Amino acid sequence: MIKCITFTRHISDAAKYERLCSFFAALGMETSNCQDDLKGLGRRFLAPVGGLEFVHAVQSTQNESLIHIEVTSLDSLHQAAKAWLNADRDGVPATLGEIIDTRWDSRLFTATPVPGHSITFWEWIHPLKDKPLAIEGDLSAENMRFAIVAARWNSVITDRLLQGSLDALLRSGARRSEIEILRVPGAWEIPSAARKVAESGNFDAVITLGLLLRGETSHYEAIYNEVSRGIGQSQQETGIPHSFGVLTCETLEQALDRSGLKAGNKGFEAACAAIEMVSLHRKIGSKCEAAQAGI
């Protein structure tokens, strides 16, 4: 029944609002705009998992942060926050605490980008806590090469998906010189281009972006089936990860929502999936090499 938990902070000071938005954007959080009819424009920062926690304690800490964000790389985030705070911020007071250990097997630090708004970032000391033992990919795109195949048809949407993909790749450490963008006429042409670049051996992953809108005929289903089959077949036969960022929507409004307006940016998500799969493939390869060497 419950889909999402959102905590809303109303900020009357425009400078504080802009600073907070700048701070969270610098940490790499996915963002989307929102409209509050009573209060004006707003910015929504998204996380893949949310939670609501109640703690029974005899004493409460008055200066305790109301926002706690679990992360996967606390040291990297601390460096990003420090870089943001060291930049010229017009003399506005801001603080950044050191990373400390807690009594509940975690590490954390608290940042106050503007007075009155403190955020605590934390991670488990043991990364496999509460998780099954598994090999998973990381979201670091350093030393990875990507091809983005994007359709020109419905460019008002596909351009937004493309920008989302580039945003995810560059935020994750990919170099612009290691990203190749290929534009094809429409979704039908995506599998052919994806297969060609995958077979070239010049890329670690292929990101496919497009849009199919349902019409009044069966043309929509026929195109979608062939596009999805072609992309999947290219991935299976070449062994190169292909991420699927081809939207299938009933209306243009739905497509706008899924390209960054209300429901995140599927181009951003497709790029994240591609990064994770390249990382996973490399880990599997390293594990196999170690096994063959008897390590």
Side-chain angles (χ1 to χ4, degrees):
M1 296 289 289
I2 296 175
K3 181 180 179 181
C4 177
I5 296 174
T6 299
F7 291 93
T8 301
R9 305 289 291 269
H10 289 105
I11 304 169
S12 59
D13 189 307
K16 284 187 176 181
Y17 166 78
E18 293 295 340
R19 279 174 56 81
L20 283 169
C21 290
S22 170
F23 178 71
F24 281 108
L27 301 185
M29 291 191 68
E30 184 181 355
T31 180
S32 66
N33 294 324
C34 61
Q35 174 70 45
D36 185 330
D37 293 334
L38 298 177
K39 301 295 182 180
L41 292 176
R43 189 79 57 81
R44 180 182 292 111
F45 290 89
L46 310 175
V49 178
L52 179 62
E53 181 176 325
F54 297 96
V55 177
H56 175 251
V58 176
Q59 295 181 339
S60 62
T61 304
Q62 294 299 322
N63 60 354
E64 193 176 74
S65 173
L66 294 178
I67 302 177
H68 290 71
I69 301 176
E70 183 181 358
V71 302
T72 57
S73 181
L74 190 71
D75 295 289
S76 298
L77 199 76
H78 191 267
Q79 292 177 3
K82 188 174 183 179
W84 184 89
L85 289 171
N86 286 339
D88 183 14
R89 299 297 169 189
D90 301 324
V92 178
T95 61
L96 177 67
E98 296 298 324
I99 296 176
I100 61 173
D101 294 335
T102 74
R103 55 184 174 80
W104 38 283
D105 295 329
S106 68
R107 306 163 65 233
L108 60 80
F109 72 86
T110 299
T112 306
V114 298
H117 297 276
S118 296
I119 304 98
T120 295
F121 300 90
W122 67 278
E123 70 175 357
W124 292 112
I125 292 177
H126 305 292
L128 296 180
K129 182 178 176 63
D130 298 331
K131 295 182 180 179
L133 186 61
I135 303 174
E136 294 182 284
D138 300 317
L139 285 175
S140 172
E142 292 185 13
N143 300 317
M144 293 181 183
R145 299 163 299 170
F146 299 91
I148 304 177
V149 181
R152 287 197 307 270
W153 189 255
N154 290 314
S155 61
V156 66
I157 301 298
T158 59
D159 285 352
R160 295 165 66 94
L161 297 175
L162 177 59
Q163 289 303 315
S165 290
L166 290 172
D167 186 23
L169 295 177
L170 297 174
R171 284 176 185 268
S172 301
R175 294 200 295 265
R176 183 63 184 84
S177 60
E178 295 176 332
I179 304 171
E180 189 77 30
I181 301 172
L182 298 93
R183 300 307 295 258
V184 296
W188 178 261
E189 290 77 22
I190 289 175
S192 175
R195 180 63 172 261
K196 194 68 174 179
V197 295
E199 290 178 338
S200 72
N202 295 327
F203 302 97
D204 296 302
V206 180
I207 302 167
T208 60
L209 306 173
L211 169 64
L212 290 168
L213 288 175
R214 183 182 295 277
E216 297 180 352
T217 68
S218 60
H219 183 71
Y220 167 91
E221 286 82 2
I223 295 293
Y224 172 74
N225 288 337
E226 291 304 316
V227 169
S228 58
R229 183 183 295 112
I231 293 172
Q233 186 174 352
S234 176
Q235 174 175 242
Q236 293 165 10
E237 296 182 359
T238 63
I240 301 297
H242 291 43
S243 63
F244 195 81
V246 180
L247 300 183
T248 53
C249 302
E250 300 288 335
T251 64
L252 183 61
E253 182 180 3
Q254 288 181 356
L256 287 168
D257 288 344
R258 297 175 66 190
S259 60
L261 194 60
K262 292 182 179 179
N265 188 308
K266 301 306 176 183
F268 188 101
E269 296 175 12
C272 289
I275 297 168
E276 186 172 345
M277 287 305 298
V278 174
S279 175
L280 180 61
H281 277 219
R282 290 182 175 180
K283 288 184 178 182
I284 294 172
S286 298
K287 198 174 184 67
C288 292
E289 291 175 2
Q292 292 173 359
I295 300 176

